């Protein structure tokens, strides 16, 4: 699926893929990162709700995927 190193975070889920009730929506995380000047590889549609994802790159060139499933 991915040809390079990638780190993935899933808002709304714990390490065992169990759903958690209180979590920050991916669009709110994206807005905060944009306000901090982070550049995006891909972006979540901020007019949507529910599942979405975005990807950024760390200073070493590794991709970071934030992937909300619900």
């Amino acid at each position: 699926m991915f040809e390079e190193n990638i780190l993935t975070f899933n808002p709304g889920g714990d390490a065992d893929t169990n759903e958690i009730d209180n979590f920050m929506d991916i669009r709110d995380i994206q807005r905060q990162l944009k306000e901090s000047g982070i550049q995006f590889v891909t972006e979540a549609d901020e007019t949507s709700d529910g599942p979405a994802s975005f990807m950024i790159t760390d200073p070493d060139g590794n991709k970071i995927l934030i992937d909300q499933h619900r």
Side-chain angles (χ1 to χ4, degrees), residues 54-68:
F54 66 78
M55 190 178 302
I56 58 177
T57 305
D58 75 10
D60 292 324
N62 299 302
K63 300 287 190 262
I64 302 171
L65 174 65
I66 310 298
D67 187 23
Q68 181 174 303

Side-chain angles (χ1 to χ4, degrees), residues 11-61:
D14 67 12
D16 296 318
T17 68
N18 298 309
E19 290 185 359
I20 55 175
D21 292 329
N22 296 319
F23 66 96
M24 182 181 286
D25 186 81
I26 192 166
R27 285 150 284 267
D28 295 328
I29 297 168
Q30 179 172 280
R31 278 194 272 307
Q32 285 186 0
L33 292 173
K34 281 184 174 183
E35 290 170 3
S36 297
I38 301 295
Q39 299 295 312
F40 287 74
V41 175
T42 63
E43 295 185 24
D45 179 357
E46 292 190 16
T47 64
S48 67
D49 59 8
S53 64
F54 66 78
M55 190 178 302
I56 58 177
T57 305
D58 75 10
D60 292 324

